[in-house]
Amino acid sequence: MSRTYVGMPAFPRSAGLATQDSRLRANLRHATHTIRAKRARAVAELDDWERLRTAGAAIKDRTLRHLDHYLLRLEEAVTRAGGTVHWAADAAEAHRIVTELVRATGESEVVKVKSMATQEIGLNEALADAGIRAYETDLAELIVQLGDDLPSHILVPAIHRNRGEIRDIFRDRMADWGLPAPEGLTDRPADLAEAARRHLREKFLRAKVGISGANFMVAETGTLVVVESEGNGRMCLTLPETLISVVGIEKTVPTWRDLEVFLQLLPRSSTAERMNPYTSMWTGTTDGDGPRSFHLVLLDNGRTDTLADRVGRQALRCIRCSACLNVCPVYERAGGHAYGSPYPGPIGAILTPQLRGLVSPLEESLPYASSLCGACFEVCPVAIDIPEVLVHLRERVVEGGEVTVRGARTVIKPAKRHSAERAMMRAARWTFDHPGALRRGQRILSRTRALHPRRLPGPGRAWTDSRTLPTVPPESFRDWWARTRGGPA
């Protein structure tokens, strides 16, 4: 069984350890800089990129506002096309549904398309507990699975591995999962790809059950869409007799016309391509073509709770392109595992705390896993204002209060370690509400500049361990304006 994210420590501790790994940082720096440069060139080809971006955000927002309506339309269309729709409120319910569907086929093995939703709910581990072995077929996911590892990137799950490490994983572990690696395997990309191809081929030809996610679901026709670069996903979607797709409810788009916008936004933002090499679409079942049985599991797992937050709900626009990860200075240095979730980077810092709730130090720490530089917002193809949501979630962490987690009302108590921060913010609010006190305070600070320490004492020490304490100017702006302009500021 592979490792899981359960019980991982808060972000600062994990990130602190990750930044000490020089090989990890080198792998991440090379990969993210390469991907971001290619993406920038691909986006620059379109004169109407910003209009497409605005359109994508508008479509997502309209769909989320009327999600109940579109989900019912989707269910009707899938059922009409010969599929069966199941509703899963949480991970446990999704586990039960999928396990029962696989058992009903009499099979004990499944092949899987790369799927963030199934990673989110830990489906592979649940299937293993039920005696069902799930084989990942995406090349990067295969590397992660063989290495008993965890994904660290949305698009390139094995981004933290270099070619030499991948060769060693194939040599040591392929035989445990099926066809062994060839003798004398080198670290040439072509040789590694050929070893993976030979290893997976017999699984594709033998498998009777396939499990997938979906990038999009078209409500008007019940069509599901998977975009990929390798073709392994298409093998999983067409060869098995039974196909089970586990998809988050937010992946719905109303019409084919809406889908066209995202099929332009996604490839350029993710793989820096004008279109994906493989775009697979299926609608229910068709006699003599593809799986004979199709099941769609619509997954909530915290999405309805997220939808109720007027600021945080924009995270549900995400189309999983990973552009925000590739420009984030924090992700580049800390890597994906530090986020303790299948959703790393800036999008994970706002999505994970909302899907799971602020239920542990890990989720409480994620909104602080950012410098708020705004690079993530600039590249997001659906214009998610990630810095805005981060600040919003930080406020929730500090203030606490009543929230909904998995459909139940609960009270999040303000963390004791934030008491000093709350006191400082309340003092600042009072000061800014009283201009006279602010003016006097500014003058006192400017006249005592020589006495100011380079580092803060007490709780503030952690802040100045990694930051320079700003110097106080000789005079305030108000005094400068009065002296140079001859009137009050």
Side-chain angles (χ1 to χ4, degrees), residues 418-435:
H418 295 294
S419 57
E421 181 181 352
R422 286 195 299 276
M424 290 172 60
M425 291 298 103
R426 288 167 183 165
R429 180 172 61 189
W430 182 90
T431 303
F432 286 122
D433 282 342
H434 297 77

Side-chain angles (χ1 to χ4, degrees), residues 125-425:
E125 292 72 31
L127 290 174
D129 290 341
I132 301 167
R133 201 170 200 186
Y135 296 107
E136 296 289 352
T137 64
D138 174 84
L139 176 57
E141 291 286 356
L142 173 65
I143 295 165
V144 169
Q145 186 175 55
L146 294 179
D148 192 23
D149 202 351
L150 291 169
S152 65
H153 191 279
I154 289 176
L155 182 67
V156 194
I159 195 172
H160 56 290
R161 298 290 193 182
N162 60 34
R163 292 184 304 176
E165 293 175 287
I166 295 169
R167 176 202 58 209
D168 294 341
I169 290 171
F170 281 8
R171 284 177 176 175
D172 297 340
R173 296 300 308 278
M174 265 190 170
D176 298 336
W177 289 80
L179 190 69
E183 291 290 333
L185 179 65
T186 73
D187 65 356
R188 290 179 60 246
D191 292 343
L192 296 173
E194 178 61 22
R197 187 177 295 113
R198 292 176 64 252
H199 177 81
L200 291 171
R201 186 171 297 147
E202 56 96 13
K203 291 181 170 54
F204 289 136
L205 296 176
R206 187 179 70 224
K208 301 296 183 183
V209 181
I211 295 179
S212 83
N215 294 95
F216 307 101
M217 302 182 290
V218 184
E220 71 174 343
T221 59
T223 302
L224 274 70
V225 183
V226 164
V227 296
E228 49 155 341
S229 299
E230 300 169 8
N232 295 338
R234 180 164 294 178
M235 301 286 276
C236 293
L237 297 169
T238 56
L239 292 179
E241 297 175 358
T242 299
L243 175 61
I244 305 167
S245 299
V246 182
V247 190
I249 56 176
E250 84 282 9
K251 295 298 185 69
T252 308
V253 295
T255 67
W256 277 85
R257 185 175 182 179
D258 298 320
L259 177 65
E260 181 264 343
V261 173
F262 297 108
L263 291 183
Q264 294 185 72
L265 289 169
L266 180 56
R268 290 178 187 267
S269 294
S270 56
T271 55
E273 295 169 301
R274 295 181 180 92
M275 67 180 294
N276 288 92
Y278 296 90
T279 301
S280 301
M281 304 180 185
W282 69 99
T283 307
T285 58
T286 302
D287 292 339
D289 183 16
R292 293 200 291 267
S293 176
F294 169 59
H295 297 269
L296 172 59
V297 181
L298 291 172
L299 179 69
D300 187 328
N301 204 44
R303 287 159 174 78
T304 300
D305 298 339
T306 304
L307 188 60
D309 187 326
R310 291 182 179 274
V311 177
R313 70 172 60 160
Q314 58 185 297
L316 296 179
R317 294 182 199 158
C318 178
I319 57 175
R320 310 293 193 265
C321 71
S322 78
C324 61
L325 281 69
N326 300 325
V327 299
C328 178
V330 177
Y331 174 84
E332 180 186 325
R333 288 157 178 81
H337 293 155
Y339 293 83
S341 163
Y343 303 111
I347 188 62
I350 64 171
L351 191 58
T352 300
Q354 294 190 91
L355 294 182
R356 293 183 183 172
L358 299 169
V359 295
S360 78
L362 171 61
E363 288 81 25
E364 289 184 353
S365 70
L366 287 177
Y368 296 89
S370 170
S371 65
L372 300 180
C373 70
C376 50
F377 172 59
E378 294 299 324
V379 299
C380 178
V382 286
I384 302 172
D385 194 340
I386 293 178
E388 178 188 32
V389 183
L390 286 167
V391 172
H392 171 66
L393 292 175
R394 291 179 186 185
E395 180 183 4
R396 283 178 51 185
V397 170
V398 173
E399 296 295 335
E402 190 179 71
V403 297
T404 301
V405 179
R406 299 291 189 274
R409 302 300 290 179
T410 186
V411 174
I412 298 175
K413 295 181 179 179
K416 291 182 179 179
R417 62 183 176 277
H418 295 294
S419 57
E421 181 181 352
R422 286 195 299 276
M424 290 172 60
M425 291 298 103

Side-chain angles (χ1 to χ4, degrees), residues 1-27:
M1 183 180 294
S2 62
R3 294 164 52 202
T4 71
Y5 294 98
V6 176
M8 291 190 67
F11 181 84
R13 181 180 169 191
S14 297
L17 295 174
T19 53
Q20 298 174 31
D21 186 336
S22 58
R23 183 167 62 176
L24 171 66
R25 293 185 63 171
N27 292 348

Side-chain angles (χ1 to χ4, degrees), residues 27-58:
N27 292 348
L28 289 170
R29 186 184 309 111
H30 172 73
T32 56
H33 284 229
T34 300
I35 296 171
R36 78 169 72 160
K38 289 182 178 179
R39 177 207 165 272
R41 290 193 294 269
V43 167
E45 292 179 352
L46 296 183
D47 293 333
D48 63 344
W49 177 257
E50 285 302 320
R51 291 177 59 193
L52 275 171
R53 188 171 179 246
T54 301

